[in-house]
Amino acid sequence: LCSLKCFHEIITIGYRVYHSYDLPWFRSLSWYFLLCVNYFFYGETVADYFGTFVQRREQLQFLIRYHRFISFALYLAGFCMFVLSLVKKHYRLQFYMFAWTHVTLLITVTQSHLVIQNLFEGMIWFLVPISSVICNDIAAYIFGFFFGRTPLIKLSPKKTWEGFIGGGFSTVLFGFVFSYFLAQHQYFVCPVEYNSETNRFVTECEPSELFQLKKYSVPLLLQAVLGWETVNMYPFQMHSIALSTFASLIGPFGGFFASGFKRAFKIKDFADTIPGHGGIMDRFDCQYLMATFVHVYITSFIRGPNPSKVLKQLLVLQPEQQLNVYRTLKSHLVEKGILQPSLRG
């Protein structure tokens, strides 16, 4: 819903700026492209996380099997409608709005899809980043209000270096402590999976090594200050430092980008959805950038082979294909000495 509202706010600005209200049909075309992109991304999610359930429904198998082809065909239909609707006196305006629509889709729908992907990795991968951005915003305001003297960037005259630095340290500390409490509960650390037998989502698992307490040696310089030689903490807390650092150093640039965008088109806020605070996009400008970083971070440094997903893919294969996989796996395990050659399946 937030994605749809953000899309509506940015598209409305585009129509207002380029005075394209005399092309009302093009607004419908913009929403059609939104429908196509949502169908593609959320279909990918369904195929990835609900594969076993879908395979049991014959009426859905066709949609999943040819999902990408259907998505592309839907987009091509919109593309052809756009080309056929070009009007000589509105060429430039129409291409402006075509580009505006696609950039808006990139900013809103693509990013919100990544948010959902992060949620499926575990609630902690959603709560820590989003809370870090909120904490940084609040802490930077407080430090800037009481100690701010040096302007940070011309796009946001009220932002100061004191607020930026103070907010950064506060955010890293907050993320480190907040992660410690969340890592103690399965509900927050276990990946969200769909149980086809009970037809509901479950968050039950054996926590990975990231969420198991380990003993770490305290650096010599800190031992004299803290009086501790070792400390027990969760490995995820080290990752939380990276997430919090991004939220405090790079995250604000999402806000600066939004400020520059609004100044370019001489508007105060994206909308007036929230009285006194602007539109939904005004609240989510930094969150989208954060969501992208978290997704890239997980895929680069955290995520490994997922046995449950591999099993789901095997279950939807044809019996002959499953037997071939079984024989290949058995032969591999025998070669590594894990199974005895005499073992019969």
Side-chain angles (χ1 to χ4, degrees):
L1 291 177
C2 291
S3 172
L4 294 177
K5 183 59 180 174
C6 290
F7 178 84
H8 176 261
E9 292 176 357
I10 300 177
I11 284 294
T12 301
I13 293 173
Y15 280 97
R16 186 185 308 141
V17 169
Y18 292 115
H19 308 289
S20 53
Y21 286 104
D22 54 342
L23 299 175
W25 51 266
F26 200 89
R27 181 184 290 267
S28 300
L29 190 58
S30 296
W31 284 95
Y32 175 81
F33 281 123
L34 174 67
L35 174 66
C36 294
V37 175
N38 272 296
Y39 176 81
F40 170 74
F41 279 123
Y42 291 108
E44 291 286 305
T45 301
V46 170
D48 195 16
Y49 293 98
F50 302 87
T52 305
F53 171 79
V54 170
Q55 290 299 323
R56 296 179 180 178
R57 305 294 192 275
E58 292 186 6
Q59 62 273 25
L60 297 179
Q61 290 182 15
F62 176 83
L63 295 176
I64 294 300
R65 182 179 179 84
Y66 302 104
H67 169 67
R68 294 189 177 183
F69 180 82
I70 295 172
S71 301
F72 185 62
L74 290 172
Y75 177 81
L76 281 181
F79 181 81
C80 292
M81 284 189 288
F82 166 75
V83 174
L84 293 174
S85 65
L86 289 172
V87 181
K88 186 174 182 180
K89 63 177 180 178
H90 293 305
Y91 282 161
R92 181 175 296 182
L93 175 60
Q94 288 176 284
F95 277 102
Y96 274 145
M97 290 311 304
F98 183 80
W100 188 283
T101 298
H102 282 68
V103 172
T104 304
L105 291 172
L106 177 65
I107 294 174
T108 57
V109 182
T110 305
Q111 308 287 342
S112 63
H113 172 70
L114 297 182
V115 172
I116 294 176
Q117 294 291 307
N118 296 341
L119 272 170
F120 276 105
E121 295 295 329
M123 287 288 290
I124 196 169
W125 291 104
F126 171 76
L127 293 176
V128 170
I130 195 174
S131 300
S132 296
V133 172
I134 295 173
C135 173
N136 183 72
D137 196 24
I138 296 173
Y141 173 79
I142 293 175
F143 276 91
F145 182 83
F146 287 102
F147 309 106
R149 295 292 183 274
T150 312
L152 175 62
I153 187 171
K154 292 182 179 180
L155 284 173
S156 297
K158 294 183 180 180
K159 304 290 185 180
T160 63
W161 276 103
E162 291 79 6
F164 183 76
I165 296 173
F169 281 109
S170 301
T171 302
V172 172
L173 178 62
F174 167 81
F176 190 83
V177 175
F178 188 48
S179 298
Y180 177 82
F181 289 105
L182 291 184
Q184 300 177 39
H185 305 281
Q186 275 193 4
Y187 179 78
F188 296 114
V189 303
C190 290
V192 180
E193 295 183 350
Y194 179 77
N195 190 320
S196 58
E197 296 180 357
T198 59
N199 288 328
R200 65 185 183 92
F201 289 103
V202 294
T203 53
E204 299 174 357
C205 68
E206 180 66 28
S208 66
E209 294 184 357
L210 281 178
F211 307 106
Q212 296 179 12
L213 279 174
K214 291 186 178 181
K215 184 176 292 186
Y216 292 89
S217 298
V218 177
L220 294 176
L221 293 176
L222 295 178
Q223 287 184 16
V225 178
L226 301 176
W228 303 334
E229 293 185 358
T230 61
V231 62
N232 292 326
M233 55 182 286
Y234 295 97
F236 178 80
Q237 290 179 268
M238 304 301 293
H239 294 289
S240 75
I241 295 177
L243 299 178
S244 300
T245 300
F246 183 90
S248 56
L249 293 182
I250 308 299
F253 281 84
F256 300 153
F257 176 85
S259 296
F261 179 90
K262 289 182 284 188
R263 286 177 178 273
F265 297 106
K266 296 179 174 59
I267 57 175
K268 181 180 180 182
D269 298 308
F270 283 95
D272 55 359
T273 308
I274 308 174
H277 294 277
I280 300 296
M281 192 64 200
D282 290 288
R283 301 297 94 199
F284 277 77
D285 47 10
C286 296
Q287 296 292 356
Y288 280 127
L289 197 59
M290 189 70 200
T292 305
F293 172 74
V294 174
H295 182 77
V296 172
Y297 189 88
I298 291 174
T299 54
S300 300
F301 305 110
I302 305 298
R303 183 186 296 162
N306 190 324
S308 63
K309 287 187 178 180
V310 174
L311 182 60
K312 288 179 181 178
Q313 293 176 338
L314 289 175
L315 292 176
V316 300
L317 296 176
Q318 297 297 323
E320 296 80 6
Q321 295 173 316
Q322 293 176 339
L323 285 173
N324 288 333
V325 173
Y326 166 73
R327 295 189 188 102
T328 303
L329 180 60
K330 178 184 174 182
S331 175
H332 176 71
L333 294 176
V334 169
E335 290 178 0
K336 297 188 69 173
I338 298 175
L339 290 180
Q340 296 299 322
S342 59
L343 183 65
R344 297 183 181 274

